Amino acid sequence: MSPGRLVLGGVGALVTAYGAWLLWSRREPADVLDAAVWAGGAVLVHDVVLSVALLLLGLVVSRVVPPLARGPVVAGAVVLGALTLVAVPVLGGFGRTTDPTNQTLLDRDYTLGWLGLVGLVVVVVLVSSVLRARRARRTADTPA
């Protein structure tokens, strides 16, 4: 494993531990249990729904998308799929009905934010595909 991955993994573990400590120290045990159920459900949905969808998408991508763009398209689909699955409750506004007197629950236009994320992912996929194509063309033009 490269040193960069070790550093990123260490930073991720520290941030996760800090988030868990914040949750445990500032919330009631029932809230912690709800968060654990939510996180476990997200992992289950990711593994059952998103994985199957990505397998099917991989079949389509391998037949439709040019080889140089396949990697970025698949990476973009994984990012969008995972974030969309996690965002389903806020996109559906499911929390608004739990406490109508709390004006701070889901007080933003989450659909607009999700669409912004989709646009950002599409731009990154397109730029990555173009850069890969340019790099491949440059490599092909270089005499051996």
Side-chain angles (χ1 to χ4, degrees):
M1 184 176 290
S2 71
R5 286 185 181 205
L6 285 173
V7 169
L8 285 175
V11 170
L14 287 174
V15 170
T16 301
Y18 179 66
W21 177 77
L22 286 177
L23 179 65
W24 187 257
S25 65
R26 296 182 182 188
R27 305 301 298 184
E28 297 295 322
D31 295 337
V32 175
L33 180 62
D34 286 345
V37 169
W38 172 249
V43 170
L44 187 64
V45 169
H46 174 273
D47 289 348
V48 173
V49 176
L50 185 61
S51 298
V52 172
L54 287 175
L55 285 173
L56 296 174
L57 178 67
L59 289 173
V60 172
V61 166
S62 67
R63 299 182 191 279
V64 175
V65 176
L68 286 174
R70 288 179 187 162
V73 167
V74 169
V78 169
V79 169
L80 275 181
L83 291 176
T84 301
L85 285 176
V86 171
V88 163
V90 292
L91 291 173
F94 302 150
R96 286 189 182 104
T97 57
T98 58
D99 186 2
T101 61
N102 187 346
Q103 298 298 319
T104 63
L105 285 177
L106 302 175
D107 61 343
R108 298 185 189 117
D109 187 355
Y110 294 98
T111 303
L112 185 62
W114 182 81
L115 288 174
L117 177 68
V118 169
L120 179 65
V121 170
V122 168
V123 167
V124 169
V125 166
L126 290 174
V127 168
S128 298
S129 299
V130 168
L131 291 176
R132 288 171 60 121
R134 288 179 66 187
R135 188 178 325 135
R137 192 175 325 135
R138 207 176 303 142
T139 303
D141 291 342
T142 303

